[in-house]
Amino acid sequence: MDSPWKTDQYTPSSACEISPPLALDPEQFASESSEVIRLTQLIAALPYDPELWLTRGNCLRLLGYPELGLGDAYKARLLVEAGLLETPSILGDEVRKAFRKKTYELHTTDPAWMRWADSVSTPELLAGKVEEMLKRLELQIWTELMEGLMAANCCSDYGRLSREAVEKFPDDEFFPSEVLNSDAWYAQREEILTARVDSGDMAEAQKATILLNGGVYPVPYPFMGEGFLIRDEAVFKGIEEDFKRVSTNCMVVRSTIRNTVGENGDEAATEDDCIGAIATRDIVSGETVLIDSMSAGSVGVDADPGGCPTCCACPVSNFWNTCCSVLYCSQVCADVAIATFHNPICGKDFEYLYTAARKATVTTDFSLDALLLMRIIALSLAEDVKHPLMSQVMVRLTPAYGFKEPNLIIFNFADHIQTPISILQTFSINIFTNPLYDTWVLHTMKCRLQNNKHGQTLGDWPGTSISGLYSMLNHSCSPNVDWRHDSASSEVTMFATRDCKEGEDLCISYIGSVGNEMPVVERRRKLMGWFGMPCRCEKCTEEATAIGESEVLVAAEGLEITA
C-alpha cells in the first residue's frame, strides 16, 4: 500500500446508498493517498500503535474503500482491547509499550501538550494516562467502524454494532442516536425491497440476503502493480501446459469473446486478459473434453468429517502421512496434501470453521467460502511465494474488474473482515507486522474466488471449489460443454453436450441449465456480475433482437445484483 498510487487506476469501491460516494478530485486524491503511504510506513515501524491503524482506516474510507478502512479499524480495535485487558498478554504488553512511549513523548516534547507533563511524571501516572487515552481512542474506533459499515452498505451490521456500542459504552451520548439511524435505514431498505418482491422483480430469498449484507464494487486498487492485474505470458504458458497434459481435443487460447464493437458513439472495448478454450479437432457429443483432477489451480472443500481433505471423496481409507492421524481416500491424495496444503494446517485448530460449515445447506454459504479461503492461504504458505496473490491458484484467477456496469459483491463484517483475520491468526500470521496478508490482499483473494468458484455437492455435503481448468472456459447460455463428478470427488469431468467443430469456442454455462431457460432479461441480469454488460452470446443476441434489444437493455438497468 506504500507503492505509488495511480490516479488513472482510481475507482472507489463504496456504493453507499445513504450518501453516494464521490471520487476525490486529483488534489484530494494526491493528499489522501500520500497520507496513506506515510501511515503505512509508520505502521511498518510501529505496528502495535492502534492510532496509526485507525487513522489509515479513516483515510481509506475517505478515498472510497470502506472494506479496507474496516480492516484497519478492526485491527485498531483488537489492539486497544488487548491494551485495556487486565489479564497480561504479549499483544497487550506491546500495545501498552508503544502507547507509553508515544504518550510520554507527546507530553514532554509537543508544546501543545507540555503543560500537562506532570500527568506522566511517574510510571504510575503514565500508566493511568495511557489507559485514559486508549479508552478515548476506543470510542473513536467504534465510531469509525460504524462509518465504514455505512459506506459498505452494511445496514444490519451497522444496527448490530450500534447496539453493542450502547451496551459497551452506556455513558456515551452519541451511540443511542446511531441505533435510531440504523433502525430508520433498515426500515427504509426493507420497504423498498418488499415493494420489489411484491412486483415480482425480486425473490424473497434475495431480499433477505440484501437485508443481511452490504455490498462493495470489486475494483483494482490504485497501488496495485500490473503483475497483480493481468495474467502474464508465463502464467498463460502454465495453463497451456495443463491443458496439454489432460486433454487431446482442446487447447487454451487468448480469447476475443468479450471484445465489443463501439455502437451509438460508445467506444469499442477490448479485454486483453480474457482466456478461453477451443476444440483442436472435431468433438462428438458426449466425448470427454478434459478431466480436471489436481491441476495447479484446483481446490475443493466441504465439511464432511468423513471426507478426504484433498478431494472430498468419502469414505476415507487407511492412508495417512507420518505427521498426524488425518486420513485420506488414497495414497495419491495423501501425497498431494503433504506436497501442497497440509503442512501449514497440520496441528492448527480450524474446528471453528468446520463447525460453522457443517450447518451449511447450500453451496453459497459463507462458511464454505471461509474454508476455501483457509485452504488458499495454506497453499500460498506451503509454496512460500513472494506474495500470496502470486500462488499457483491465485495467479490464474481474475476478479470482475473494469466493467462499464460493475456489479456489487456481497460484503459483511463477520465474513469479510473478522473471519479472515481469525484464519490468519490461527495460522500464526501476525496481522499487524505482516503486510503480505493486509486487508487489500484478503479482499482481492475473495474477489478472485467469487468470480471463479463453483458449488459442488458430494453426498449430503454442500461444498465449493476452484477448478483451475474449468475456470478457463467462457460462458454461453447455449453451452456446448457441461461437467460432472464421475468419481464422487472434487475431480471434474468436462464433456461435449453436442458435436463441436475444430476451432469452435468451448463454452460452459455460468448459471446452469435452469438459468439457461430463463427469459433473456433475467439471464442477462444474473450474468451481469461476470460480464459487467449484457451477455452477448448467440442465444441472448438472437432473443434480444426478437423482442427489441433496447427494451431488453433498459429492463436490465438499475437492478441491484448481489453475488
Side-chain angles (χ1 to χ4, degrees):
M1 205 178 289
D2 58 351
S3 300
W5 285 53
K6 299 175 280 292
T7 308
D8 59 355
Q9 202 171 296
Y10 172 49
T11 303
S13 60
S14 176
C16 182
E17 61 193 29
I18 293 179
S19 178
L22 296 174
L24 302 185
D25 64 38
E27 185 176 340
Q28 292 172 316
F29 173 80
S31 174
E32 290 294 337
S33 60
S34 295
E35 181 68 357
V36 170
I37 292 173
R38 185 186 73 85
L39 290 165
T40 301
Q41 293 167 347
L42 284 174
I43 286 171
L46 301 166
Y48 301 108
D49 182 343
E51 190 168 23
L52 292 177
W53 288 100
L54 173 62
T55 306
R56 193 179 77 164
N58 176 262
C59 287
L60 290 167
R61 176 176 59 81
L62 293 177
L63 280 159
Y65 303 118
E67 70 282 9
L68 304 188
L70 283 165
D72 279 9
Y74 183 58
K75 289 177 184 177
R77 172 178 159 180
L78 294 176
L79 288 171
V80 164
E81 288 175 350
L84 289 174
L85 272 180
E86 295 182 3
T87 307
S89 69
I90 294 175
L91 182 58
D93 290 344
E94 291 285 359
V95 174
R96 287 186 290 271
K97 177 182 175 182
F99 236 67
R100 274 199 303 271
K101 184 175 185 296
K102 181 175 185 174
T103 302
Y104 183 78
E105 289 180 353
L106 185 69
H107 284 76
T108 56
T109 62
D110 189 326
W113 288 80
M114 287 177 65
R115 72 181 73 176
W116 297 291
D118 288 348
S119 65
V120 298
S121 58
T122 68
E124 294 77 17
L125 288 172
L126 178 58
K129 180 59 69 172
V130 165
E131 181 177 2
E132 175 190 326
M133 295 187 73
L134 285 175
K135 287 181 177 179
R136 190 181 304 162
L137 187 64
E138 188 175 34
L139 287 169
Q140 298 173 31
I141 290 168
W142 278 70
T143 300
E144 181 60 36
L145 285 171
M146 291 180 204
E147 293 285 347
L149 291 172
M150 281 192 286
N153 262 336
C154 296
C155 182
S156 291
D157 284 340
Y158 173 41
R160 176 183 55 79
L161 197 72
S162 62
R163 284 172 168 76
E164 289 179 10
V166 168
E167 185 175 341
K168 185 176 179 66
F169 308 102
D171 297 330
D172 186 82
E173 298 179 355
F174 171 73
F175 292 128
S177 64
E178 293 294 295
V179 174
L180 296 176
N181 290 338
S182 70
D183 287 347
W185 183 17
Y186 187 92
Q188 181 186 48
R189 174 179 270 200
E190 186 173 35
E191 182 180 355
I192 293 170
L193 295 176
T194 298
R196 293 181 63 179
V197 170
D198 292 343
S199 69
D201 188 36
M202 176 181 289
E204 191 70 41
Q206 188 180 8
K207 168 189 168 182
T209 297
I210 294 174
L211 281 172
L212 286 173
N213 299 282
V216 293
Y217 292 115
V219 297
Y221 298 115
F223 48 82
M224 292 172 69
E226 188 175 87
F228 293 128
L229 301 176
I230 63 169
R231 292 169 288 199
D232 63 21
E233 200 59 29
V235 174
F236 179 77
K237 289 293 183 185
I239 300 170
E240 196 175 42
E241 287 301 316
D242 269 351
F243 267 77
K244 290 178 181 178
R245 179 174 55 82
V246 300
S247 178
T248 61
N249 55 19
C250 76
M251 64 182 290
V252 67
V253 295
R254 294 285 189 181
S255 176
T256 59
I257 197 170
R258 295 188 187 174
N259 293 355
T260 59
V261 178
E263 296 177 354
N264 300 322
D266 292 338
E267 292 184 11
T270 60
E271 187 172 334
D272 296 331
D273 195 28
C274 185
I275 290 176
I278 62 170
T280 55
R281 60 169 172 79
D282 290 351
I283 302 174
V284 299
S285 179
E287 184 179 348
T288 296
V289 173
L290 61 83
I291 298 176
D292 190 356
S293 52
M294 282 304 299
S295 69
S298 295
V299 182
V301 295
D302 65 21
D304 183 357
C308 175
T310 300
C311 73
C312 300
C314 185
V316 293
S317 301
N318 291 323
F319 298 97
W320 65 89
N321 292 303
T322 56
C323 58
C324 64
S325 59
V326 173
L327 296 177
Y328 300 85
C329 69
S330 67
Q331 190 59 48
V332 171
C333 279
D335 292 343
V336 167
I338 205 69
T340 56
F341 66 85
H342 180 70
N343 285 335
I345 293 174
C346 189
K348 302 293 194 298
D349 185 8
F350 285 105
E351 184 57 32
Y352 64 96
L353 295 182
Y354 286 98
T355 297
R358 288 182 193 119
K359 300 174 184 176
T361 58
V362 293
T363 60
T364 53
D365 195 286
F366 290 132
S367 62
L368 298 173
D369 290 347
L371 283 181
L372 185 60
L373 179 65
M374 178 266 284
R375 179 68 63 82
I376 295 296
I377 292 173
L379 286 166
S380 71
L381 291 171
E383 285 182 47
D384 195 25
V385 289
K386 290 184 178 180
H387 197 281
L389 295 178
M390 305 306 289
S391 70
Q392 287 191 77
V393 176
M394 281 288 104
V395 76
R396 296 183 173 206
L397 306 179
T398 58
Y401 284 161
F403 293 155
K404 290 184 178 179
E405 301 175 48
N407 215 48
L408 290 176
I409 60 169
I410 283 179
F411 179 88
N412 67 59
F413 191 55
D415 296 300
H416 295 79
I417 299 294
Q418 292 176 301
T419 297
I421 283 179
S422 294
I423 291 172
L424 294 179
Q425 291 174 318
T426 306
F427 274 122
S428 300
I429 295 172
N430 191 318
I431 61 173
F432 307 106
T433 63
N434 190 339
L436 289 179
Y437 291 91
D438 207 350
T439 305
W440 76 267
V441 179
L442 294 174
H443 187 71
T444 301
M445 282 183 168
K446 290 183 76 69
C447 286
R448 292 186 185 183
L449 295 175
Q450 177 66 42
N451 197 43
N452 293 274
K453 68 177 182 173
H454 64 90
Q456 64 174 34
T457 301
L458 304 173
D460 295 327
W461 294 93
T464 189
S465 67
I466 292 292
S467 178
L469 305 184
Y470 167 95
S471 298
M472 298 303 121
L473 272 69
N474 286 310
H475 165 84
S476 171
C477 294
S478 181
N480 52 13
V481 174
D482 203 350
W483 62 277
R484 62 178 179 259
H485 292 297
D486 280 341
S487 60
S489 72
S490 292
E491 179 179 279
V492 174
T493 298
M494 306 185 71
F495 60 94
T497 57
R498 62 172 183 266
D499 291 348
C500 304
K501 294 294 184 181
E502 180 180 350
E504 185 177 344
D505 282 312
L506 299 179
C507 296
I508 54 176
S509 172
Y510 294 175
I511 55 177
S513 56
V514 175
N516 295 338
E517 299 306 314
M518 291 178 175
V520 61
V521 173
E522 293 184 35
R523 288 203 311 273
R524 285 182 158 180
R525 185 187 307 170
K526 286 183 70 69
L527 289 162
M528 192 68 74
W530 282 284
F531 305 148
M533 62 181 184
C535 176
R536 300 184 186 276
C537 74
E538 185 176 355
K539 181 177 180 179
C540 280
T541 301
E542 289 178 355
E543 292 182 12
T545 301
I547 65 174
E549 184 162 5
S550 60
E551 175 187 341
V552 175
L553 296 179
V554 170
E557 287 178 357
L559 298 175
E560 180 177 358
I561 310 297
T562 52

